[in-house]
Every structure is written in C-alpha cells, then in structure tokens.
Amino acid sequence: MLAISQRGQAMPASPIRKLVPYAEAAKKKGTKVYHLNIGQPDIETPKMVLDAVRNSDFKVLEYSHSAGNESYRKKLVGYYQSVGIDVNHQQIIITTGGSEAILFGFMACLDAGDEVIIPEPFYANYNGFAVAAGVNVVPVTSHIENGFALPPIEEFEKKITPRTKAIVICNPNNPTGYLYSADEMEQLKNIILRHNLYLFSDEAYREFCYDGHQVSALHLKGVDNHVIIMDTISKRYSACGGRIGAFITRNQSVLDAAMKFAQARLSPPSFAQIAGEAAIDLPADYFDTTKAEYRSRRDLLVKRLNAMEGVFCPNPGGAFYAIAKLPIDDADTFCQWLLESFDYEQQTVMLAPATGFYGTPGLGKQEVRLAYVLNLDDINKAMDCLEAALKVYPGKQ
Amino acid sequence: MLAISQRGQAMPASPIRKLVPYAEAAKKKGTKVYHLNIGQPDIETPKMVLDAVRNSDFKVLEYSHSAGNESYRKKLVGYYQSVGIDVNHQQIIITTGGSEAILFGFMACLDAGDEVIIPEPFYANYNGFAVAAGVNVVPVTSHIENGFALPPIEEFEKKITPRTKAIVICNPNNPTGYLYSADEMEQLKNIILRHNLYLFSDEAYREFCYDGHQVSALHLKGVDNHVIIMDTISKRYSACGGRIGAFITRNQSVLDAAMKFAQARLSPPSFAQIAGEAAIDLPADYFDTTKAEYRSRRDLLVKRLNAMEGVFCPNPGGAFYAIAKLPIDDADTFCQWLLESFDYEQQTVMLAPATGFYGTPGLGKQEVRLAYVLNLDDINKAMDCLEAALKVYPGKQ
C-alpha cells in the first residue's frame, strides 16, 4: 500500500472551508447566505493598482529577482518609513503572499521538533505551516473576558522549554481583532530577549487600527536580530488574489537563509508585483476612507451582537474580525445548523466556529469569528438572521 | 546566540545564481555577456495571453479557489486530453509555479528522513525542496557518454532502501535535455510497481521534443496511484513570471493531502491564472513555430560545440538545455574565469557549471550546462566566445 506522509495526515483541513458544502446546499435551496466567515474584503481594489497591471507593456512575462523586483523593494522602503519602520531594500524579500513569508520564517529559523508559542485563538493556517516545517505549536490562551489581551508573561514562561525558538503574534490580530498595546509589545520584547527567542510578527492588518496605532515589532529597540515581519498587500489594498507579501528582518543570517528558500522557488508573481508597486503611490488618504468604512462596520457589528441576549463581543481594536461568545452548546454544530436547518426570511449567515482557531482542544466551543467584510446594510441583515437564529436554535444554553 | 535552523544552513544556494556578481562586474567593464546560463526564454509571451490579463475587468482582486479557478481547471482537462492524458478537473490543483507542485508532492507523500532517487545530473532546486521537506536525495548517475540515458534498472535497485519512497524524473530533462523513450518509461513503471514507490514526473518541457514525442508518466497503465505530475506554464508559453503550475494525480489520498497544503497558502496567483486559461486557446500551430525555433537553436549549438577541439555534446532530444564536456580542469573555475578574466572582442558567455546539478560530489567537473534561450545569431556569437576561450584558458586539459 502506498501511503501518504505522516505530515500529510497531520495537516489540518481548513476549519473555515469545511462548512462550504453546507453553504452551497443552502444557496441551491434559494437561501441567501451572508458570508461573515472569511476575510475576503468586498472593498474594491484601487483602480490605479489594477490599471498598473492592465497598462503594463512588457513582451516577455519573465522571472523577477528571487527577492522581488528591486524597484518595488526600493519603493517599499518609503512605505515602511511612512509607518515608522526603518529598513533598507536588501532587508526585504518579496514573497508569494504573507503565507510564503510565514513558511520562509519557519524554514529559515526552526527545525523539526522545535516549538513556537502562539497566543490563542490564532490564525489557523499557522498550524499548516508548522506541520509543513515539522514544528510544534504551543498555545498560550488569551481570554474573551478581557478582550483577548496578551496573556501575562508568566503564562508564556510556563510554556518555554529548551526547544522553544520563537513566539508568533499577529497584530492587529486575526481572528480576535486585538491590537497589542505599546506596553504589551515591550513585554514581548523582554521575553524574547530573556529567553533568546525569535519574534515572528504577522502585520497583515497594520493599517486597520480603529482606536490607536499599531506598534510594529520592528519599532522595538535592541531586538534587531530577533524580529521577523510577515507582511502582505492582500488586505491593505484588497488585493488578496495578487499573492504578494514580504519577509522583512534586520538579521542578516536569517535573510541569507530565507533567500536560499526564495531562490529555490525562483521568483514571486510578476503581474502582482506591478500592482504592489503601484499601490505605494496611492494618495495618503486612501486608508482613511477604507478605515472609516471598517470602523463603522465594526461599531455596528459589535453593537448588534452585544444587544442580543446572552451574547458577548469585546470591541476589537483592529483588523476586520471579531470573536463573539454565544449562548450555544457547540459552535461547530451551530454554524452548520445555520446553513443546513435555519433561515430567516430565506436568508442566513455563515460564521466561522472559533474552535478551529484554538490550539487547545475543547476551547472556543461557544465562540464564533465574524469577519466584517460586508457593507452596513448586509451586516444588519446578517445580524437579524443571527438574532432570530439564537431564539430558535435547539442547542441554546 | 540566535541561530538559524539546521535546514537553513543545509539549504543549497542556487548554483546558477552564484556567478551573477561576476557577470555584473563584466557588464560594468563594458563586456557584452551572452546568457546561456539560465532557462529564461527570450521568446515573447503570446500577445493574446498577456492581453487576457490586460483586458480583464474585475473590480476586486480576490482569492481564487485554493485549487485554482474551476473554469481554468476544466479547460486544462481539454489541454491534457490533447496530449493523451486523461484526467478530470478535480485531479488538478493549480500551483504557484511548478516549484510549488514539487513542494506539495514532497510534503504530501514524504516524511523527514525518507529518500527519493533522482537520476543525476538533475534540476538543482529539487535539492532545495528536499531540504525544506527533510527528505534525502539519493542520486543515480546518468552518463554523458550515452547521452544521459536512463541508468540501468540495477543501478536504481542498488540504491533502494526501506526509506526509499519515490523516484523523481524530469522529462524531457533539465539540465541534460534527455527525452526518455517509451521503453525507459516502462522500465520506470516496473521499478515503482515492484518496490511500491511514487513516481514524481516533472513535465515542464512536454512540448519541447525534437525527435519524437514525450511519454508522460500519466500515459503509463496500472500505476494510477503511483504517479504525480508536476507541470508549469512557465516554459510552455514563455510565462515564467506568472508563477502558475499544476499538481496532477489520480491518487485521491495524495490529492486530499496536497489540497490541505494548498488551503494553508490560500490560493495561487489570480492574474496569471487568467493568462494560463487564455493560453489553452492558442492556435494548434503555436508550438510548431516555437519548437522549430528551438530545434534550429539546438542543432546550431550542438554542431558548434562538437566542432570545437576536445568538446563533446550529445544531441538532446528535448527541453532547451544541453550539457557539454569541455577540455577543462574545473567547470566552476572556468565559468568564473569566462566572466572575470576573459573577453573576445569585448564579449563573453555565461554558462552554468554542471557540478551544481550532480548530487554526487566531484561529478560534472568538466561539464557545463547551456540553455539555448538566445536567437541563432547570439548563439553563434556565444559559441565564438567559447571557442576562443577554450584556446587560451589556463586550465585547459
């Protein structure tokens, strides 16, 4: 018998995508489904970004430099300066989405059997890249009661072993929307210095902060060799399909190692590098409009959720996700039931059970993640559905 | 001290790219460098392929399905039928270049410590993906004297251990240009059946066959569960920068496992999927023109090489590479010398030392790989340079 690999078996299926067949069945029955389950923004990609690709006039779709086009990397230096991050273009490797930046980081810094500590709930695909790299994810639990703030230092230190090599954060966070404070970032700095760890910081949602500013891991002083940033244009410019991200570090050895992985896959996508480069010239107020839109959505979503009986949703400081606690027996059952057995005026809502975002089995059973990637009107309608559903759900608690 | 990973240290630097600084220095001195060192074709990407992207009119650059757009996969079924390969669209995962297809194959089928047998010389980046996956590459040597034909079965069987899980071939081959015969493909089939191995077949150069047709691994009968094809549009349509490939197998368990890795990285690039889909509608004679051009280049290159004293170059049946044996002491030294210390009428040639394509240390020291990706006139000029260089090279043997 030919067998697949153990890591192929260990690889988790996407917790977000497993409900898709139920959504498709609901749609076939004529039910309108509001998708609050995935982080695909409805915001239009800026026209000038798409036009840059459409108006390109090269004749050969060539490989780019393995680190990405030099012109793009040089312009990115200006973008990072504008957010207070001082790096040069040789400290940037353009990656195929933020995903590849995560993979390069794990591959360059971690060996099979090494451990990374990640505050949970966390972006579920970190599990996938950890399995690919043979790395063990050690969760440290953050709690909905205090809005998913950074767990106390002692909780991290309890988890540190001789195999611990890194802490991974996502800031602002997917799936909680939590924005780490300057004080929390200093705490992280102290841990990584004391225990000589890498800090992988996923900053995909840097611009999406509603009640303050992001403190980047690259703003921290004295930890140049410890910090690796994973970045992406996906959410920033609503350009998820471009598959353009960035791996950034001031640690030369890590850069050199990551570069060898970059060379093996030849180059990042050429078309979308043009889009990414054009996006840097967007007017300074581009994010103002987008951010104002997301802030309104957040405010509406959180208000509607907290007005429902037995529901609690902390106010997320950034990104475009919120996790809410619902008066239900089991989030997986509930989310499937919403699609399979419920409708409100021929409409329903698709949510992501939070269980898939926890590393500790059994956590998140009463929680769901909501991505507020729909307009205000649709969010209202989706909340009408959820409110009606919670009144009749058989597993209500 | 923060250390990079052992795999980061073990990861080989690109053997092709390490001479780049010498080429840049030569150009700064005003020397024209003919690049026969990399497989970046000069052939224009078909206009209708680029126009499909340029004329696209979507408003949001969204994630695609993790397996790639269904419309593209369905059209690919027709393409594969046209080359005698019977697969359905659910047996195809669109990947980010052929590179990602290799990575998915290794990840889904192999565990750390497993062994893959690869006829050497082989595409150097297989080493990189093997290091990423913790897999050990076991080379079995093919020889320039018989044109790099498939080594005898006994040579493979000598290398098989309990950890052997797969054989990797590239057909037609990069770097040798060798096209496996129907008989050789049957021999491979017998080995994988007898020893229950996977056969990973990299078919990036399928259309580039000059003295016959490719026998695809998916043409073989009775090995459906054994065969995985890695494919790419890079060379086929001169679209290397698109980063669109395909992972194809009839083994459902392998597909399911690969799909989980595909979901973790979300989706392949959206722009270039449009290009790939458009390419399937190219007129049937598209490859005729391209193939005729490459055949002329091959014929000229091989003739010029074999006319040089002490040089031997077997006639490659496919792809656009040839390996030649030169009367030199050391290919790495020679290739660097060509850039650093030689010019012929202010021109020189950049070649890839074959040492980087062998897994066995010490092999390939008198061999170089030449990619015939330049027009006939430039190939002639490059050969003039090489001919002149061999007359004066201090390490001539």
Side-chain angles (χ1 to χ4, degrees):
Chain A
M1 228 325 256
L2 268 173
I4 64 163
S5 63
Q6 288 166 37
R7 75 179 130 213
Q9 292 169 49
M11 189 75 182
S14 164
I16 306 176
R17 301 200 179 207
K18 69 187 172 186
L19 291 169
V20 169
Y22 299 102
E24 285 169 356
K27 287 175 196 172
K28 276 205 182 123
K29 282 195 304 185
T31 305
K32 160 91 182 164
V33 178
Y34 293 101
H35 284 275
L36 298 182
N37 58 304
I38 50 164
Q40 170 58 60
D42 63 337
I43 304 281
E44 287 187 7
T45 313
K47 187 166 178 300
M48 75 168 258
V49 169
L50 296 175
D51 282 350
V53 176
R54 289 172 180 153
N55 297 331
S56 62
D57 65 352
F58 58 82
K59 298 211 182 294
V60 185
L61 181 58
E62 294 181 320
Y63 291 122
S64 73
H65 191 294
S66 293
N69 291 328
E70 192 173 285
S71 59
Y72 180 28
R73 286 180 286 134
K74 285 186 168 168
K75 286 194 83 164
L76 271 176
V77 169
Y79 161 74
Y80 285 110
Q81 271 171 353
S82 78
V83 293
I85 295 172
D86 186 31
V87 288
N88 66 52
H89 77 278
Q90 289 166 316
Q91 294 167 329
I92 301 171
I93 298 173
I94 304 300
T95 55
T96 306
S99 302
E100 191 179 63
I102 299 166
L103 187 66
F104 285 175
F106 283 12
M107 287 287 173
C109 300
L110 310 172
D111 280 305
D114 284 348
E115 295 167 7
V116 292
I117 298 177
I118 316 185
E120 66 180 351
F122 56 78
Y123 178 56
N125 287 324
Y126 296 147
N127 280 320
F129 297 111
V131 169
V135 166
N136 298 320
V137 170
V138 177
V140 51
T141 310
S142 70
H143 299 278
I144 195 167
E145 291 74 17
N146 64 350
F148 298 108
L150 190 73
I153 297 292
E154 310 85 74
E155 294 300 311
F156 281 90
E157 297 202 316
K158 274 185 211 161
K159 306 279 186 168
I160 290 174
T161 77
R163 293 308 300 264
T164 308
K165 294 284 158 62
I167 293 172
V168 180
I169 60 167
C170 179
N171 181 31
N173 189 273
N174 171 10
T176 65
Y178 189 77
L179 175 65
Y180 291 111
S181 68
D183 183 57
E184 287 171 321
M185 292 302 292
E186 284 297 314
Q187 291 176 41
L188 282 168
K189 168 177 155 175
N190 291 338
I191 308 175
I192 60 170
L193 278 177
R194 191 175 321 141
H195 298 281
N196 200 35
L197 306 176
Y198 287 108
L199 176 62
F200 295 121
S201 184
D202 179 344
E203 305 193 354
Y205 300 92
R206 179 178 299 117
E207 274 75 15
F208 301 91
C209 299
Y210 311 115
D211 311 306
H213 287 287
Q214 185 218 40
V215 177
S216 168
L218 280 177
H219 290 156
L220 301 173
K221 304 287 179 203
V223 284
D224 281 0
N225 280 330
H226 296 254
V227 171
I228 291 136
I229 281 190
M230 286 83 162
D231 210 342
T232 172
I233 68 166
S234 292
K235 316 292 169 164
R236 188 164 300 142
Y237 310 114
S238 196
C240 299
R243 312 313 299 128
I244 290 294
F247 176 96
I248 306 166
T249 181
R250 300 190 184 110
N251 181 320
Q252 190 62 45
S253 305
V254 171
L255 260 179
D256 291 344
M259 197 54 208
K260 292 190 284 183
F261 290 94
Q263 286 181 347
R265 62 68 163 127
L266 305 172
S267 68
S270 292
F271 280 122
Q273 286 189 72
I274 298 170
E277 188 167 335
I280 299 172
D281 290 327
L282 282 166
D285 64 354
Y286 167 71
F287 291 117
D288 296 349
T289 321
T290 310
K291 229 161 76 174
E293 173 64 24
Y294 278 115
R295 187 189 285 111
S296 309
R297 294 175 179 189
R298 176 198 68 166
D299 292 347
L300 174 65
L301 182 89
V302 172
K303 189 178 136 202
R304 287 290 314 261
L305 285 166
N306 284 316
M308 295 178 203
E309 197 187 325
V311 174
F312 172 61
C313 180
N315 195 35
F320 39 67
Y321 305 98
I323 285 192
K325 189 171 181 181
L326 307 181
I328 54 172
D329 56 347
D330 183 279
D332 289 85
T333 309
F334 176 67
C335 292
Q336 185 176 328
W337 174 87
L338 278 172
L339 297 166
E340 210 177 14
S341 312
F342 171 80
D343 78 87
Y344 170 72
E345 297 176 355
Q346 283 206 292
Q347 302 174 107
T348 191
V349 58
M350 186 165 178
L351 306 171
T355 46
F357 302 105
Y358 283 89
T360 305
L363 292 187
K365 285 189 77 164
Q366 290 196 297
E367 297 170 15
V368 293
R369 187 194 72 169
L370 307 97
Y372 43 98
V373 291
L374 303 182
N375 64 45
L376 293 172
D377 191 41
D378 283 351
I379 288 178
N380 256 325
K381 286 177 183 155
M383 290 303 99
D384 291 344
C385 291
L386 180 61
E387 191 161 29
L390 286 173
K391 286 182 182 146
V392 296
Y393 176 58
K396 191 172 175 181
Q397 293 204 324
Chain B
M1 228 322 258
L2 267 172
I4 64 162
S5 63
Q6 288 166 36
R7 75 178 130 214
Q9 291 169 48
M11 189 74 182
S14 165
I16 306 176
R17 301 200 180 210
K18 69 187 172 186
L19 290 170
V20 169
Y22 300 102
E24 285 169 356
K27 287 174 196 172
K28 278 204 182 124
K29 282 194 304 185
T31 306
K32 160 91 183 162
V33 178
Y34 293 100
H35 284 275
L36 298 182
N37 58 304
I38 51 164
Q40 170 59 59
D42 64 336
I43 303 282
E44 287 187 7
T45 313
K47 187 166 177 299
M48 76 169 257
V49 169
L50 295 175
D51 282 350
V53 176
R54 289 171 180 154
N55 298 331
S56 63
D57 65 351
F58 58 82
K59 298 212 182 294
V60 185
L61 182 58
E62 294 181 321
Y63 290 122
S64 74
H65 190 293
S66 293
N69 292 328
E70 192 172 285
S71 58
Y72 180 29
R73 285 181 286 135
K74 285 186 168 168
K75 286 194 83 163
L76 271 175
V77 169
Y79 161 74
Y80 285 110
Q81 270 172 352
S82 78
V83 293
I85 295 173
D86 186 31
V87 288
N88 66 51
H89 77 278
Q90 289 166 317
Q91 293 167 329
I92 302 171
I93 297 173
I94 305 300
T95 55
T96 307
S99 301
E100 192 178 62
I102 299 166
L103 187 66
F104 285 175
F106 283 12
M107 287 287 173
C109 299
L110 310 172
D111 281 304
D114 283 349
E115 295 168 7
V116 293
I117 298 177
I118 316 185
E120 66 179 352
F122 55 78
Y123 178 57
N125 286 325
Y126 296 148
N127 280 321
F129 297 110
V131 169
V135 166
N136 298 320
V137 171
V138 177
V140 51
T141 310
S142 70
H143 300 277
I144 196 167
E145 292 74 17
N146 64 350
F148 298 107
L150 189 73
I153 297 292
E154 312 84 74
E155 295 300 312
F156 281 89
E157 298 202 315
K158 275 185 210 161
K159 307 279 185 168
I160 290 174
T161 78
R163 292 309 300 264
T164 308
K165 294 283 158 62
I167 293 172
V168 180
I169 59 166
C170 178
N171 182 32
N173 189 273
N174 172 9
T176 65
Y178 189 77
L179 175 66
Y180 292 111
S181 68
D183 183 58
E184 287 171 321
M185 292 302 291
E186 284 297 315
Q187 291 176 41
L188 282 168
K189 169 177 155 175
N190 292 337
I191 309 176
I192 60 169
L193 278 176
R194 191 175 320 143
H195 298 281
N196 200 35
L197 307 176
Y198 287 107
L199 177 61
F200 295 120
S201 183
D202 179 342
E203 305 192 353
Y205 301 92
R206 180 179 299 116
E207 274 75 14
F208 302 90
C209 300
Y210 311 116
D211 312 307
H213 287 287
Q214 186 219 41
V215 177
S216 168
L218 280 177
H219 290 156
L220 302 173
K221 304 287 180 203
V223 284
D224 281 359
N225 280 330
H226 296 254
V227 171
I228 292 136
I229 281 190
M230 286 81 163
D231 211 343
T232 172
I233 68 166
S234 292
K235 316 292 170 164
R236 189 164 301 142
Y237 310 114
S238 196
C240 298
R243 312 313 299 130
I244 289 295
F247 175 96
I248 306 166
T249 182
R250 300 190 184 110
N251 181 320
Q252 190 62 45
S253 305
V254 171
L255 260 180
D256 292 344
M259 197 54 208
K260 293 190 285 183
F261 289 94
Q263 287 181 346
R265 61 68 163 127
L266 305 171
S267 69
S270 292
F271 280 122
Q273 286 189 71
I274 298 170
E277 188 168 334
I280 299 173
D281 291 327
L282 282 167
D285 64 354
Y286 167 71
F287 291 117
D288 297 348
T289 321
T290 310
K291 229 161 74 174
E293 172 65 24
Y294 278 115
R295 188 190 284 112
S296 309
R297 293 175 179 189
R298 176 199 66 167
D299 292 347
L300 174 65
L301 182 88
V302 172
K303 190 179 133 201
R304 288 289 315 261
L305 285 166
N306 284 316
M308 297 177 203
E309 197 187 325
V311 174
F312 172 61
C313 181
N315 195 35
F320 39 68
Y321 306 98
I323 286 192
K325 189 170 181 183
L326 308 181
I328 54 172
D329 56 347
D330 183 280
D332 288 84
T333 310
F334 177 66
C335 292
Q336 185 177 327
W337 174 87
L338 278 173
L339 296 166
E340 211 178 14
S341 312
F342 171 80
D343 77 87
Y344 171 72
E345 297 176 354
Q346 281 207 292
Q347 303 174 106
T348 192
V349 58
M350 186 165 179
L351 306 172
T355 46
F357 302 105
Y358 283 89
T360 305
L363 292 187
K365 285 189 77 165
Q366 290 195 299
E367 298 171 14
V368 293
R369 187 194 70 170
L370 307 97
Y372 42 98
V373 292
L374 303 182
N375 64 45
L376 293 172
D377 190 40
D378 283 352
I379 288 178
N380 255 325
K381 287 176 182 156
M383 290 303 99
D384 291 343
C385 291
L386 181 60
E387 191 161 29
L390 286 173
K391 287 182 182 149
V392 296
Y393 175 58
K396 191 172 176 184
Q397 293 204 324

